[in-house]
Amino acid sequence: MDTPLTVPDLADATELSCDVLVIGGGTAGTMAALTAAERGADVLLLEKAHVRHSGALAMGMDGVNNAVVPGRAEPDDYVAEITRANDGLVDQSTVRQTATRGFAMVRRLESYGVKFEKDEHGEYAVRQVHRSGSYVLPMPEGKDVKKVLYRQLRRREMRERIRIENRVMPVRVLTHPDDGRAVGAAGFHTRTGEFVIVRAGAVILATGPCGRLGLPASGYLYGTYENPTNAGDGYAMAYHAGAALTGIECFQINPLIKDYNGPACAYVANPFGGYQVNRHGERFVESDYWSGQMMAEFAAELASDRGPVYLKLSHLPEETIGAVESILHTTERPTRGTFHENRGHDYRTHDIEMHISEIGLCGGHSASGVRVDDHARTTVPRLYAAGDLASVPHNYMIGAFVFGDLAGEDASRYRAYEGELDHEQLAAAHELVYRPLRNPDGPPQPQVEYKLRRFVNDYVAPPKTGAKLSLAVEAFDRMSTEIAGMGARTAHELMRCAEVSFIRDCAEMAARASLARTESRWGLYHERLDHPERDDTDWLHHLDLRKSPSGAMEFTARPVEPYVVPVPEFSPPGGPERLLGEVALVPVATAGARDAAPAALTPRPVAADAPAVVPAPAPPHPRLLRLLSLVEDSPDLDALGPYLADADPAVRAAAVTALGETAPAGTGPVLAARLRDEAAPVRAAASAALRELVEVLPAEPAFAEGLREALGVSDPAVRAAALDVLRALRLGDAGLYAGALADPSVEVRVQAVRALVSVDAVGELAGAAADPAREVRVAVARGLAAVRNPAPEPLAPLLDDPDPLVRGAALAALAGTGCPPAYAAGAGAALGDRAWQVRSGAATALRAATPGLAVPALAGALADPNADVRKAAVLSLLVHRAEPAARAALAGAADDADADVRAYASRAAR
C-alpha cells in the first residue's frame, strides 16, 4: 500500500506571485488570462485539472445560443428577451455587455480558429430557435474550441506572460485584513499535496457553476447534466471572501435525455424541424424562451397523463436525421450514439424520451451566481467573477467569453501584492485542505457527498415549501460535523473532500435563499407551494446573500436597476435596499403542536460469442509519446516534419492532429498534401484539421493547388472536405465546382452545390436540378434562393419534382426568390397536396406573394390537419398582417390546438 500523505507544515508552503490570478481554466478563465496578458499583466492561471482539457467547453459546443449578429438581431431586442426570460429580475447593463460585445467576441474567436457556420456567401448562418429573435449560431467544428483556446495560451508571446499551473486547486481567496480587497489565494496541488499560496494584485474567479448540487436520477455522483468537476468552488470562495451572491434561489433545471446525463439538444434539433411533444405527438410549450416557465410547462406535461415527453425526430427525412446525428453524436456527446444503440433506439423509428435534470446553480444558463457589475467586478475590491459563476442571466458561452475579457481588461491595472498575508486566513485554508488526513479512517467522501446531495433532492428541489427548506438547513448544519470528519489518504481524495465542503456551502445558500424569497418566480426554478403567486410589488428585487461579520448568512432585497431597454411587462419599483438579515426557519421539530389533537384536513445484451477477456490494448508507440510531449512546446513545421513522414500511419495521423493544434506557418499546404495520404486515418485527421482551421489559414496558391489535387482522391470524405475549404476560402470557380456535380458521392455533390451558390452560378445550379439524389435536388432548391439575385424561374423543374421533399423545398424557396402571380397560383394549389411537407412549403411560398392572392389561401390553410402547415401559414400571415383579413385569420388561430401556432398567432397583436 502506498504511504499516506502527511500534513505539510504551513511554513513549507510554495509561494507564487502574479499581477492577475485567474482561478479556473475553462471558457471565461482562458479568455481572462489572454486579455490580461495582452494588456501587459503577468498572469498566473490555476486549474485543478489540466487547462487543455478542463471546463465544460472541453467536451465541445454545438453552437452559440446568444449571438447578436448585426443584420440578424438587435442588442436591445436581446436585452428585452433576457429580461422577460428572467421575469424582470436582471441588471440590464450586464446583459447589454454580452449583447453589444458578443459579435466582436465571435470575430475574435474566429481569428483564433474557432469555426462558426456560414452560408455559401460567407455570412453567418444564424438560426431561429425561440419564437422571437434569431440568436443561435451553429459551430460545426465546436468540439475543438478548447483546443483552439489552448493553442492561443501556448503561443510564444503568451507563454512569456501567462504561467499555467495545472493540478492546483485554490480553496480560499485571501483578502487584506484592513480594506477587504483580494490579494491572492490559498490552495494545494492535487497530485503532490503541497500547500500553495499566491500573492496577486487582482483575482478572477472563473470556476464554473455548481453542477454537482442535486443528485441525478441515476444516483451516480458524477452523472450530472453540468460538468461534474464544477462543484461550486467559486461560489464558496466568493462567499467566504465577503462577496455578495445573488439569485441563489433561482435554480438551473434542464430537459435531458431520460437515463442519460446529457441534454436532449432541442437547440440543435429545432432548426432541423424537431420539436418537443407529449406522448400524443402534441406540441405543448407555450413559453417563448427556454426559461423556468418553460420548464414548469415541461414538468406539468411530464407529470400528466399526456406524458412521457419526447423530442420528436422520427418524422424527418433520412438526410436530415443524418445531419442531426452527425452533430449530436460527435460535438455534443460522443457517448450519445452508443447510449441509443444499446437500447435499440434509432431516431428514424424512435423519438427521444426526455426528462428533467437535477438542480444546480448557474448564472450562464439561469440566474444564480456571484454578483457582478458590467466590468465583472464583484462587491469585493479587486475580486472578479466571470462565466457561469457570475450572475449574468442566460449568458451562455459567448457571455462567458465576454465577461472573461472584461475581467481580464479591468484586472490588468493592478500589480502583485507585496505585503503580509493574513496568517489566520492561511491557517484556516490549510486546515480546510488537510483535516481529512488527520482522520484517514473517517467516512469516505463518496458516502458523505451522496448523503448531502440526497438531502438536496429531498428538501431543496422544487416545488419548494418553507418546511422542507427548513429541514434542509437543519440537515446541512448537522452535516458540517460529518464533513469535517471525512477521511482521506491521497491528494486526489483531499480534492474531493474540499469539493464536498463547497457543495455543502452552496446547498445551504440555496436553501436559505429559497426560504427568504416568499413568492414564486421563474416558473419551476423557484416554485414555492406555500407562496404560489408572483409578487412584483415586494419581490421585483434581487435577493443578495453575503457572509456577515459574525459568520452568519444574511440577505438584502436590492431593487432592480432602472432598465436600459424598457420592457412593458415589468416596472421595477425602485426604492432603497431592504436589509432582511438572517432568514427565519419554519418550526419542523414536530408535526403541529405537541399537545394538539389530530386536525382535520383543510382544503441491450452481450453476444454469446463475445470473448470472455478483452485483450489489453497495445502500448503507444514511443514516437507517439515523443510527439505528444513535443506539442506542449508549440513546434514548427521543421520539428513536426519527421513525424508527418513517419512510416507508421498512427504517428502520421497524430502529427496531423498536432499540426491542427499548433498551426505554425505553412500549415495549409501541408494539411492539403496529407489529404492524399494512403492511410484513411491520416486523411480523416487532415480533413478535420482543415475544417477546423479554415478561418485562420491564408489562402495561398500552394494551398489552393493542394486542395484541387485532393479532388482526385478516391476517398469521398476527402473530396467533400476539399470542396468545403475551397469554397470557404474563395479559392475555386464555377467551372471547378460544376465539375464536382458529376462526382459519384452524394456528399460531394451537395458540397458542390453549396460552392456554386457561393459564386452565384445560377446556370450551373439549375443544371443540377435533375440530379438523381433527392438530397442534392433539395440543396439546389435552397441554393437557388440563396444566390445574391434570386429569381423564381430556375425553380420551375423542382416545383414539379416527383419527390414531395424536393417540391416542398422548392416551394419554400419561393419565399426568397419572390412569388409572382403564376407561382402563387401554383402554391395555392399545392396547399391541397397529399404530402404535408409540400403544403408547408406552399404556405411558406405565399409569404412573398401579393396579399390579395396570399391571404385567402393562407386563411384556408389554418384548417390544415398538420400543425406544421398551420404554423407555416401563420408565419406567412404575419408578413401580411397589415391586411385586415390577415389579422382576422391570425386572431382565429390564437385558439389553435398547437402551442406553436397559438404563440406565433398571438404575435399579431404586438
Side-chain angles (χ1 to χ4, degrees):
M1 179 181 293
D2 293 337
T3 303
L5 283 176
T6 57
V7 178
D9 194 283
L10 178 56
D12 295 331
T14 298
E15 289 204 22
L16 303 172
S17 179
C18 61
D19 297 333
V20 176
L21 171 60
V22 180
I23 300 176
T27 309
T30 52
M31 187 58 68
L34 288 166
T35 297
E38 288 170 357
R39 281 160 175 74
D42 288 329
V43 180
L44 175 60
L45 176 57
L46 299 185
E47 168 56 53
K48 67 180 179 182
H50 193 292
V51 171
R52 186 175 183 178
H53 306 293
S54 64
L57 197 62
M59 280 300 294
M61 185 64 63
D62 53 62
V64 174
N65 294 343
N66 56 342
V68 183
V69 176
R72 298 300 304 274
E74 295 296 327
D76 284 3
D77 292 339
Y78 174 79
V79 171
E81 184 155 350
I82 297 302
T83 303
R84 294 186 185 99
N86 210 52
D87 279 1
L89 266 181
V90 298
D91 177 353
Q92 287 192 345
S93 67
T94 62
V95 177
R96 189 169 175 78
Q97 288 284 50
T98 299
T100 58
R101 299 168 69 102
F103 182 63
M105 183 57 64
V106 168
R107 300 301 294 268
R108 179 175 176 179
L109 293 171
E110 269 192 327
S111 74
Y112 291 167
V114 177
K115 185 177 179 182
F116 299 94
E117 186 171 328
K118 295 181 179 179
D119 63 20
E120 293 80 2
H121 294 287
E123 302 295 332
Y124 293 100
V126 182
R127 292 172 177 168
Q128 181 172 352
V129 171
H130 305 299
R131 296 189 182 112
S132 59
S134 297
Y135 305 113
V136 175
L137 180 56
M139 299 170 65
E141 303 298 326
K143 64 184 183 297
D144 297 319
V145 178
K146 194 61 192 294
K147 181 171 70 175
V148 172
L149 290 172
Y150 188 67
R151 186 168 65 229
Q152 291 299 311
L153 288 170
R154 303 305 295 161
R155 283 166 41 217
R156 185 166 288 105
E157 58 269 33
M158 287 295 103
R159 290 204 303 265
E160 294 172 355
R161 284 287 188 182
I162 302 173
R163 176 176 176 176
I164 298 174
E165 289 291 338
N166 294 307
R167 314 295 180 189
V168 174
M169 177 184 183
V171 298
R172 288 290 185 263
V173 171
L174 302 175
T175 58
H176 195 286
D178 295 334
D179 57 20
R181 73 182 188 272
V183 294
F188 68 105
H189 197 287
T190 64
R191 289 295 182 266
T192 67
E194 66 183 303
F195 196 59
V196 179
I197 299 171
V198 181
R199 299 169 180 271
V203 179
I204 300 174
L205 294 173
T207 57
C210 183
R212 220 161 83 221
L213 183 60
L215 193 65
S218 66
Y220 175 47
L221 295 179
Y222 309 106
T224 53
Y225 179 94
E226 283 285 355
N227 182 348
T229 64
N230 293 332
D233 309 33
Y235 286 77
M237 283 189 281
Y239 172 74
H240 289 291
L245 294 91
T246 192
I248 304 301
E249 71 279 18
C250 179
F251 300 161
Q252 175 184 220
I253 307 171
N254 296 286
L256 43 63
I257 301 173
K258 180 74 165 60
D259 301 327
Y260 177 79
N261 64 319
C265 289
Y267 273 110
V268 175
N270 284 12
F272 285 95
Y275 45 81
Q276 298 74 50
V277 297
N278 58 31
R279 70 182 179 89
H280 302 300
E282 301 162 338
R283 283 186 289 228
F284 58 89
V285 174
E286 302 281 354
S287 300
D288 277 356
Y289 198 86
W290 203 273
S291 60
Q293 182 55 42
M294 186 174 286
M295 285 308 305
E297 297 171 12
F298 191 101
E301 199 75 8
L302 193 64
S304 75
D305 64 351
R306 298 178 299 277
V309 168
Y310 298 88
L311 175 62
K312 188 168 185 60
L313 298 174
S314 58
H315 66 297
L316 300 175
E318 169 61 32
E319 54 269 32
T320 302
I321 290 179
V324 172
E325 285 177 329
S326 70
I327 299 172
L328 298 187
H329 298 176
T330 54
T331 298
E332 184 55 47
R333 304 262 170 137
T335 59
R336 181 180 179 135
T338 305
F339 170 79
H340 291 308
E341 180 182 357
N342 288 342
R343 292 201 164 194
H345 291 180
D346 187 297
Y347 297 162
R348 296 150 188 82
T349 57
H350 289 73
D351 293 321
I352 304 170
E353 185 181 354
M354 300 172 69
H355 206 68
I356 291 178
S357 74
E358 69 285 347
I359 68 169
L361 301 178
C362 182
H365 293 78
S366 178
S368 52
V370 179
R371 176 182 165 185
V372 295
D373 66 10
D374 54 1
H375 289 280
R377 308 177 188 114
T378 73
T379 58
V380 169
R382 302 194 187 188
L383 180 63
Y384 300 80
D388 285 342
L389 169 70
S391 181
V392 185
H394 301 281
N395 216 25
Y396 304 113
M397 183 187 75
I398 286 297
F401 279 131
V402 166
F403 272 81
D405 178 52
L406 288 165
E409 180 180 0
D410 204 72
S412 67
R413 298 178 293 154
Y414 302 111
R415 295 297 168 256
Y417 175 70
E418 297 179 353
E420 287 295 316
L421 295 173
D422 186 79
H423 181 79
E424 185 177 340
Q425 294 179 43
L426 292 174
H430 188 274
E431 176 62 18
L432 171 64
V433 172
Y434 297 111
R435 65 189 178 190
L437 296 181
R438 308 185 202 280
N439 186 31
D441 296 319
Q445 162 262 334
Q447 292 183 10
V448 178
E449 182 176 335
Y450 181 92
K451 181 177 180 180
L452 170 65
R453 292 168 63 190
R454 184 73 257 171
F455 282 139
V456 171
N457 279 21
D458 290 343
Y459 298 135
V460 185
K464 312 172 187 179
T465 69
K468 289 198 298 182
L469 293 167
S470 298
L471 286 168
V473 171
E474 290 188 356
F476 302 148
D477 284 343
R478 187 170 64 245
M479 286 204 68
S480 295
T481 302
E482 297 179 44
I483 290 171
M486 283 188 298
R489 287 182 165 83
T490 69
H492 180 82
E493 291 173 343
L494 287 178
M495 176 180 71
R496 294 301 185 210
C497 288
E499 288 176 337
V500 175
S501 74
F502 300 150
I503 296 169
R504 195 219 69 84
D505 287 344
C506 290
E508 182 181 354
M509 286 189 267
R512 289 185 182 274
S514 296
L515 265 171
R517 182 175 288 279
T518 53
E519 63 155 358
S520 288
R521 189 174 289 270
W522 306 295
L524 189 63
Y525 296 168
H526 180 66
E527 180 185 356
R528 283 283 300 261
L529 295 178
D530 47 351
H531 296 281
E533 301 300 324
R534 195 178 82 188
D535 179 4
D536 283 350
T537 301
D538 289 335
W539 279 112
L540 191 56
H541 285 69
H542 301 283
L543 181 65
D544 288 358
L545 173 162
R546 58 172 52 84
K547 188 176 184 178
S548 72
S550 67
M553 202 172 285
E554 64 180 19
F555 295 88
T556 301
R558 175 170 52 93
V560 173
E561 297 78 0
Y563 287 163
V564 180
V565 179
V567 179
E569 299 94 317
F570 300 100
S571 299
E577 293 188 3
R578 303 198 313 268
L579 178 62
L580 306 178
E582 297 180 47
V583 67
L585 304 186
V586 173
V588 289
T590 63
R594 293 180 61 191
D595 55 355
L601 180 67
T602 58
R604 200 160 156 73
V606 177
D609 58 351
V613 178
V614 178
H621 197 289
R623 292 196 298 279
L624 278 176
L625 297 178
R626 290 197 296 271
L627 173 60
L628 292 173
S629 177
L630 181 66
V631 170
E632 289 295 320
D633 295 324
S634 300
D636 57 20
L637 280 180
D638 289 340
L640 288 173
Y643 299 96
L644 290 164
D646 196 277
D648 188 337
V651 175
R652 299 201 302 278
V656 167
T657 299
L659 193 59
E661 292 186 8
T662 55
T667 291
V670 174
L671 288 175
R674 287 301 102 197
L675 290 176
R676 305 192 301 276
D677 195 281
E678 62 184 15
V682 181
R683 299 194 301 270
S687 297
L690 281 167
R691 281 180 154 141
E692 174 196 338
L693 297 172
V694 69
E695 299 292 344
V696 296
L697 294 176
E700 50 194 326
F703 187 18
E705 184 59 31
L707 292 170
R708 287 171 179 262
E709 290 178 13
L711 295 176
V713 172
S714 61
D715 186 337
V718 167
R719 301 196 300 275
L723 273 173
D724 194 20
V725 177
L726 283 164
R727 173 192 57 79
L729 294 179
R730 300 293 189 265
L731 291 173
D733 53 35
L736 177 70
Y737 300 147
L741 290 173
D743 195 281
S745 166
V746 171
E747 180 187 5
V748 175
R749 301 203 300 276
V750 169
Q751 287 294 343
V753 168
R754 293 198 68 205
L756 287 168
V757 173
S758 72
V759 294
D760 299 308
V762 175
E764 289 83 352
L765 273 174
D771 191 280
R774 177 178 74 190
E775 301 96 314
V776 177
R777 303 199 303 278
V778 169
V780 170
R782 293 170 177 166
L784 287 169
V787 296
R788 295 196 184 279
N789 295 298
E793 290 78 15
L795 287 167
L798 297 166
L799 292 167
D800 294 323
D801 195 277
D803 191 293
L805 293 183
V806 178
R807 297 201 304 279
L811 283 161
L814 289 171
T817 66
C819 189
Y823 290 87
L831 287 172
D833 196 282
R834 294 177 58 184
W836 70 267
Q837 296 93 336
V838 175
R839 303 199 302 274
S840 178
T844 302
L846 292 171
R847 193 174 306 177
T850 60
L853 294 173
V855 173
L858 290 169
L862 293 177
D864 194 282
N866 184 279
D868 277 348
V869 177
R870 304 198 302 275
K871 176 180 173 181
V874 164
L875 291 172
S876 292
L877 282 166
L878 285 170
V879 174
H880 299 295
R881 58 185 164 191
E883 300 294 317
R887 292 198 300 273
L890 287 166
D895 295 325
D896 194 275
D898 182 80
D900 267 12
V901 176
R902 293 196 300 273
Y904 282 113
S906 66
R907 297 185 63 189
R910 296 184 186 177

